[in-house]
Amino acid sequence: MNFELTEEQIMIRQAARDFAQTELKPGVIERDEHQKFPAEQVKMLGELGFLGMMVSPKYGGSGMDAISYVLAMEELSKIDASASVVVSVNNSLVCYGLEKYGNDFQKEKYLVPLAKGEKIGAFCLSEPEAGSDATSQKTTAVDMGDHYLLNGVKNWITNGNSASTYLVIAQTHPEKRHHGINALIVEKGMEGFEVGAKENKLGIRGSDTHSLMFTDVKVPKENRIGDDGFGFKFAMNTLEGGRIGIAAQALGIASGAYELALNYSKERKAFGKTIADLQATQFKLADMATEIEAARLLCLKAAWLKDQGQPYAQASSMAKLFASEVAMRTTVEAVQIHGGYGFVKEYHVERLMRDAKITQIYEGTSEIQRIVISREVLK
Ligand code: COS
């Protein structure tokens, strides 16, 4: 066992840390307040190779490992989880799925611009009545010979408006239930495809979350990923990797809040000493540091398994379950350490607390992660 990072991994972590400080931090409070998508910052992330981190250079990616991806996600998420979710979705849910399961035509046409960050992708599984219960897809993709006719509504889609390429999960053969589901590549601008209103959210308010409406959208057959009926497996396999990204995002939210609380505790004076001198604060910091380190190790273990080509479904669910709960606990305590200042926006911790909540919900709620983990341990 070796806990040392490689030189390249350390360099990537530093690059992400620098980017977060210089490009994401200025304006993060205003973007949150006004629900402004970090368009310029995402463009720069693309130019630096963060949007196709694990994609092979052959397809325009940076060819890095999943460990580097976790390190970068942690650093970006310490400062701006609304920007880091774009990195996570584009890398894990869109590029990964296309590289692993797409054909040559789909890789050339869709993966290359996504990996280079010239375009942004979205992953469209959730529906008004199917979030956790993902097999109950109501969106239909009727086989019309040379194309599918797509009808339905998708909900809570990250990058809903800023994306150009959408991976849409839809039911083709209802009688076959989840074996009849397909994953289709849909382009913005296809006739009958409309982006609904932006959601006004508790957290990650800079990220643009929309519902999507499809009315008789003609999707060419060549845009189906994998064989007929592969869509549900495609979604499940893709989400396994997505959960590593969100686990690392949760880790970053937690460690960002912890670092702020640690620094603040050394400056703030009460009862004639700094609050870091009070055992009440020290014990909070000790618990935060311990839990964050455990979450980090779970994230890195899941990434390592993925890099080794070993099964990682259980590990990624464990990482996401634990890191998201640590993010929630840590951010609540970080606000508490800041006292009244923690409750106002300038100190950043209240935003991190609001941002933490979504990590227990999207890409599989904590309850879904417990289903995945318990099924694995009971096998
Ligand atoms: N990889 C590949 N296939 C998987 C899989 C995985 N990780 N998990 C499940 N499957 C397959 C199963 O093997 C089964 O296929 P077969 O019938 O061929 O064996 C199929 O998917 C259906 O699985 P299952 O019968 O277990 O379905 P359930 O409805 O009981 O549970 C869960 C499926 C709950 C695990 C799934 O619906 C899920 O992950 N839901 C959460 C989805 C989610 O994350 N939503 C958030 C929105 S995306 S941002």
Side-chain angles (χ1 to χ4, degrees):
M1 186 170 290
N2 179 4
F3 286 99
E4 296 281 327
L5 297 175
T6 64
E7 268 180 39
E8 194 191 25
Q9 289 162 347
I10 293 170
M11 215 177 66
I12 291 158
R13 183 175 62 184
Q14 191 60 45
R17 190 175 291 172
D18 293 344
F19 183 87
Q21 284 298 329
T22 56
E23 306 297 342
L24 295 180
K25 199 167 178 188
V28 66
I29 293 171
E30 291 72 25
R31 290 196 298 276
D32 170 73
E33 193 162 356
H34 302 295
Q35 304 186 71
K36 188 170 180 293
F37 182 73
E40 284 163 42
Q41 293 77 3
V42 167
K43 186 166 176 283
M44 281 187 261
L45 283 164
E47 286 159 4
L48 291 169
F50 283 108
L51 292 185
M53 287 188 72
M54 293 167 289
V55 176
S56 153
K58 188 175 157 200
Y59 297 113
S62 308
M64 294 172 198
D65 57 10
I67 299 256
S68 303
Y69 172 55
V70 165
L71 298 171
M73 276 300 297
E74 179 181 354
E75 293 304 323
L76 300 172
S77 308
K78 280 181 185 176
I79 306 294
D80 189 351
S82 294
S84 75
V85 70
V86 183
V87 175
S88 183
V89 167
N90 206 69
N91 274 291
S92 311
L93 293 186
V94 184
C95 287
Y96 172 79
L98 280 171
E99 186 167 24
K100 178 128 198 238
Y101 302 108
N103 58 33
D104 288 345
F105 155 77
Q106 293 164 348
K107 287 181 194 173
E108 279 307 323
K109 182 166 180 193
Y110 296 107
L111 176 60
V112 172
L114 288 164
K116 288 183 175 168
E118 294 164 357
K119 288 191 173 164
I120 299 177
F123 181 82
C124 316
L125 173 67
S126 294
E127 299 188 346
E129 289 171 67
S132 293
D133 184 11
T135 58
S136 300
Q137 294 289 308
K138 298 268 190 314
T139 299
T140 54
V142 177
D143 190 338
M144 305 297 282
D146 64 340
H147 67 270
Y148 288 101
L149 207 55
L150 186 65
N151 278 287
V153 178
K154 293 289 173 181
N155 256 24
W156 309 294
I157 303 303
T158 303
N159 302 338
N161 195 31
S162 47
S164 309
T165 307
Y166 299 76
L167 306 187
V168 181
I169 310 299
Q171 181 58 268
T172 298
H173 311 284
E175 71 288 357
K176 294 188 187 168
R177 300 185 50 252
H178 58 272
H179 294 289
I181 290 174
N182 279 312
L184 305 178
I185 307 170
V186 176
E187 292 178 37
K188 192 185 235 160
M190 282 181 169
E191 210 181 320
F193 173 19
E194 259 182 86
V195 176
K198 184 170 174 157
E199 301 290 354
N200 184 0
K201 308 190 296 289
L202 170 76
I204 57 163
R205 288 170 55 80
S207 137
D208 89 305
T209 310
H210 291 255
S211 52
L212 306 176
M213 279 84 76
F214 304 98
T215 312
D216 289 339
V217 180
K218 282 185 180 176
V219 184
K221 265 274 173 71
E222 62 199 21
N223 282 21
R224 186 187 72 213
I225 302 174
D227 293 337
D228 188 21
F230 178 64
F232 191 73
K233 292 246 179 225
F234 171 82
M236 291 296 110
N237 283 335
T238 309
L239 277 166
E240 282 177 15
R243 289 167 185 162
I244 299 179
I246 300 306
Q249 180 188 48
L251 167 66
I253 293 171
S255 54
Y258 163 73
E259 286 173 16
L260 289 167
L262 182 68
N263 292 336
Y264 180 80
S265 72
K266 293 183 201 161
E267 287 162 12
R268 172 72 176 171
K269 293 219 167 62
F271 307 106
K273 42 179 134 172
T274 67
I275 61 169
D277 289 321
L278 303 173
Q279 201 175 51
T281 311
Q282 292 165 355
F283 281 12
K284 282 192 201 301
L285 292 170
D287 286 344
M288 289 158 118
T290 305
E291 290 201 339
I292 288 168
E293 188 59 16
R296 186 176 290 119
L297 291 173
L298 281 176
C299 290
L300 291 171
K301 168 91 182 287
W304 181 83
L305 286 170
K306 183 167 186 277
D307 287 335
Q308 300 304 307
Q310 294 188 38
Y312 57 93
Q314 180 182 332
S316 68
S317 284
M318 283 181 169
K320 182 179 182 290
L321 172 64
F322 189 71
S324 62
E325 304 212 331
V326 169
M328 209 59 246
R329 281 197 291 274
T330 305
T331 53
V332 167
E333 287 296 50
V335 171
Q336 192 68 17
I337 288 175
H338 280 77
Y341 291 105
F343 208 63
V344 295
K345 293 190 184 291
E346 286 74 16
Y347 284 77
H348 296 281
V349 282
E350 64 81 35
R351 184 186 72 257
L352 291 167
M353 184 179 81
R354 287 186 285 105
D355 287 352
K357 186 61 206 169
I358 191 60
T359 66
Q360 294 181 307
I361 298 173
Y362 61 13
E363 298 200 27
T365 59
S366 292
E367 291 73 16
I368 288 292
Q369 306 314 323
R370 289 186 171 97
I371 292 178
V372 174
I373 297 163
S374 60
R375 283 181 179 180
E376 290 287 331
V377 300
L378 288 166
K379 251 182 195 170

